Amino acid sequence: QVQLVESGGGLVQAGGSLRLSCAASGRTFSSYGMAWFRQVPGKEREFVATFIWGTGIPYYADSVKGRSTISRDNAKNTMYLQMNSLKPEDTAVYYCAAARRPPSRWHVDNMDYWGKGTLVTVSS
């Protein structure tokens, strides 16, 4: 089992940047497929970014592609999401998630562990 704790959220003006962190504890961090999701109240939690299983190649949702960078430090058991050129529509609670096995698709139903989230608010 793995425990996930997100941090780094906050209030930022449009065009600004934030770096989110996800600290993992428990089983070996590198054993899991890690991803970022986000959720706006009243909407489904949506995929944001991950690493293609077994390759380490970043993969992004179209909504954040070109503006975000996912990275991980296995030695520190930490994953990051650098978000630049933030827009008001990026406002959401951002969640870190882990999958024990390669998911058929990066969807909330296919993730095994979740953090409690960190709120990102982008003002216009």
Side-chain angles (χ1 to χ4, degrees):
Q1 188 165 345
V2 63
Q3 292 79 42
L4 306 171
V5 179
E6 304 92 338
S7 62
L11 173 64
V12 63
Q13 288 189 330
S17 299
L18 281 176
R19 189 175 83 153
L20 306 182
S21 298
C22 171
S25 60
R27 287 195 59 186
T28 306
F29 178 71
S30 59
S31 300
Y32 296 90
M34 302 297 297
W36 288 99
F37 287 74
R38 67 184 183 186
Q39 187 170 24
V40 175
K43 293 190 175 181
E44 185 175 280
R45 193 170 298 186
E46 65 176 10
F47 165 77
V48 175
T50 188
F51 302 94
I52 298 173
W53 197 284
T55 69
I57 298 173
Y59 175 69
Y60 301 96
D62 289 343
S63 57
V64 303
K65 191 179 298 180
R67 301 187 295 119
S68 297
T69 302
I70 188 173
S71 60
R72 65 193 290 171
D73 186 335
N74 287 341
K76 294 183 178 180
N77 276 4
T78 303
M79 178 175 68
Y80 305 96
L81 183 67
Q82 176 70 43
M83 300 190 296
N84 302 320
S85 302
L86 283 161
K87 306 174 182 179
E89 50 263 45
D90 293 317
T91 295
V93 177
Y94 284 72
Y95 296 90
C96 174
R100 290 175 294 183
R101 290 172 293 276
S104 55
R105 61 188 179 116
W106 293 97
H107 185 271
V108 293
D109 293 342
N110 297 330
M111 306 307 290
D112 298 299
Y113 304 104
W114 293 90
K116 294 184 177 181
T118 185
L119 176 63
V120 172
T121 304
V122 184
S123 63
S124 57

